[in-house]
Amino acid sequence: MSDRKSKKSDSSHVDEDGTSHTINTGRWTREEHNMFLHGLETYGKEWKKIADLIKTRSVVQIRTHAQKYFQKVAKHTGQPVMSTSKKEAVVRPPTRKRK
């Protein structure tokens, strides 16, 4: 059985204010995903603002995560897949039942 974390590589990113952050690659942590959901609810599809919340992910990573998240929500709700375009409204997914 392989350890997924051993394949993970991180890189550094410097914000406009000069602060350095480590950018994660690979699977999103539960904490990162929860921050993503909070940012999506707060800012809608303003990916840069959500990236300001999630210091460990880039804007591109957040947009890609959103696209996959919208596909998963669409699959479970039977609704069409939402676009990551800022012009479309964000629809909140139904709450997930824990097993």
Side-chain angles (χ1 to χ4, degrees):
M1 184 173 186
S2 67
D3 182 12
R4 290 180 190 247
K5 292 188 183 227
S6 65
K7 295 180 183 177
K8 183 177 177 179
S9 77
D10 299 333
S11 63
S12 291
H13 170 74
V14 179
D15 284 345
E16 292 171 359
D17 65 0
T19 346
S20 179
H21 300 282
T22 300
I23 301 296
N24 289 341
T25 59
R27 291 193 175 269
W28 281 55
T29 65
R30 179 168 286 167
E31 182 181 1
E32 287 173 329
H33 182 69
N34 288 339
M35 286 190 294
F36 165 78
L37 293 176
H38 173 71
L40 191 60
E41 187 173 316
T42 305
Y43 300 116
K45 296 178 181 179
E46 296 289 332
W47 309 125
K48 175 71 175 115
K49 290 180 181 179
I50 296 173
D52 290 340
L53 283 178
I54 308 170
K55 300 291 187 185
T56 56
R57 296 291 176 165
S58 70
V59 175
V60 172
Q61 287 174 313
I62 290 166
R63 197 172 52 240
T64 302
H65 185 71
Q67 187 174 28
K68 291 177 183 178
Y69 174 72
F70 294 154
Q71 288 171 341
K72 184 175 181 179
V73 169
K75 181 179 178 182
H76 286 87
T77 62
Q79 298 294 319
V81 177
M82 286 185 6
S83 165
T84 55
S85 168
K86 293 179 185 177
K87 294 178 183 177
E88 290 187 25
V90 173
V91 178
R92 291 191 67 201
T95 54
R96 192 171 110 193
K97 294 178 183 176
R98 301 248 178 218
K99 293 182 180 179

